[in-house]
Amino acid sequence: MDMLPMRENLEPLLEALKNKDRNAAVEWSRTEQWATLEQLIAASSPPPSRPGSVAATDTSPARTGPKWPCPFCTFINDAEVQTCAMCNLPRSRT
């Protein structure tokens, strides 16, 4: 299985960038390969948040109090929890 399925299609763009050939890069940006690359990036990235949007507003309370490291997985947990949020093992009292 090819780990870089678009490698051949990216070569003209990479060559344009290497040679600082703006016209070739702009020409490549008008291809179907560019559209495919944009779709792949959009599908693997979270949507950008805009100022004032729901995604940009953090409504969760800030947790700056004491923490404890899980002795099993080393995840740093909030002091008030008695089991690790990551591995679900109980807090050691030793």
Side-chain angles (χ1 to χ4, degrees), residues 3-46:
M3 296 305 290
L4 300 171
M6 291 190 63
R7 184 177 187 170
E8 280 183 25
N9 298 325
L10 289 174
E11 285 180 19
L13 174 63
L14 297 174
E15 199 61 34
L17 294 172
K18 180 178 156 185
N19 296 324
K20 297 181 181 168
D21 185 345
R22 179 177 167 74
N23 292 333
V26 169
E27 183 179 325
W28 190 87
S29 73
R30 295 183 181 124
T31 65
E32 184 179 328
Q33 287 78 20
W34 172 248
T36 300
L37 186 59
E38 281 186 311
Q39 290 172 351
L40 290 170
I41 291 169
S44 65
S45 303

Side-chain angles (χ1 to χ4, degrees), residues 42-86:
S44 65
S45 303
S49 61
R50 297 179 312 274
S53 71
V54 174
T57 308
D58 184 11
T59 58
S60 62
R63 296 187 181 200
T64 57
K67 311 267 187 194
W68 61 272
C70 175
F72 304 100
C73 74
T74 71
F75 183 78
I76 306 298
N77 293 279
D78 292 318
E80 63 272 3
V81 297
Q82 298 305 309
T83 58
C84 177
M86 191 61 61

